[in-house]
Amino acid sequence: MSEPRIPRNKFPWFPTINYELCISDLTCVNFCPHNVFDWDKETGRPVVARPDDCVPGCDSCAQLCHEKAISFPSQEEFRQAMRRLRAEVALKK
């Protein structure tokens, strides 16, 4: 019997941009193959436009960011959230 799927929009995995550190060099926008980021012309900054398109576990954009302005939940935060989500799904059975 397979484990029930947790909808992607429930996964707590997506980038957060620290705008105090961000130099708006477009690295994240140009790199992400899943189109998670957009460029906000009004603010001149990248934005996380499609967080649910981020692949859980991928943090390549954060590693490429020269200013370390992108962060993700810690692995422990992610594990705890997934345990909670699995328990919620199990209760619905």
Side-chain angles (χ1 to χ4, degrees):
M1 185 155 137
S2 66
E3 184 174 322
R5 293 185 56 93
I6 298 169
R8 173 59 185 97
N9 66 350
K10 299 283 188 181
F11 278 58
W13 189 267
F14 50 85
T16 300
I17 302 170
N18 179 338
Y19 290 109
E20 291 183 20
L21 297 175
C22 180
I23 61 170
S24 301
D25 65 357
L26 292 169
T27 299
C28 55
V29 176
N30 292 330
F31 164 76
C32 183
H34 301 284
N35 230 9
V36 171
F37 300 94
D38 273 345
W39 182 255
D40 185 332
K41 291 177 185 177
E42 289 183 27
T43 64
R45 294 178 166 177
V47 293
V48 179
R50 289 166 290 284
D52 294 344
D53 289 350
C54 186
V55 176
C58 179
D59 66 353
S60 296
C61 60
Q63 293 180 35
L64 289 172
C65 180
H66 301 292
E67 302 303 316
K68 305 299 179 204
I70 299 174
S71 62
F72 284 86
S74 71
Q75 291 296 320
E76 186 54 32
E77 290 170 320
F78 183 72
R79 278 194 220 74
Q80 287 176 4
M82 291 307 295
R83 280 187 215 112
R84 180 182 46 77
L85 289 167
R86 285 185 186 115
E88 288 175 13
V89 168
L91 287 175
K92 291 179 182 179
K93 284 185 182 179

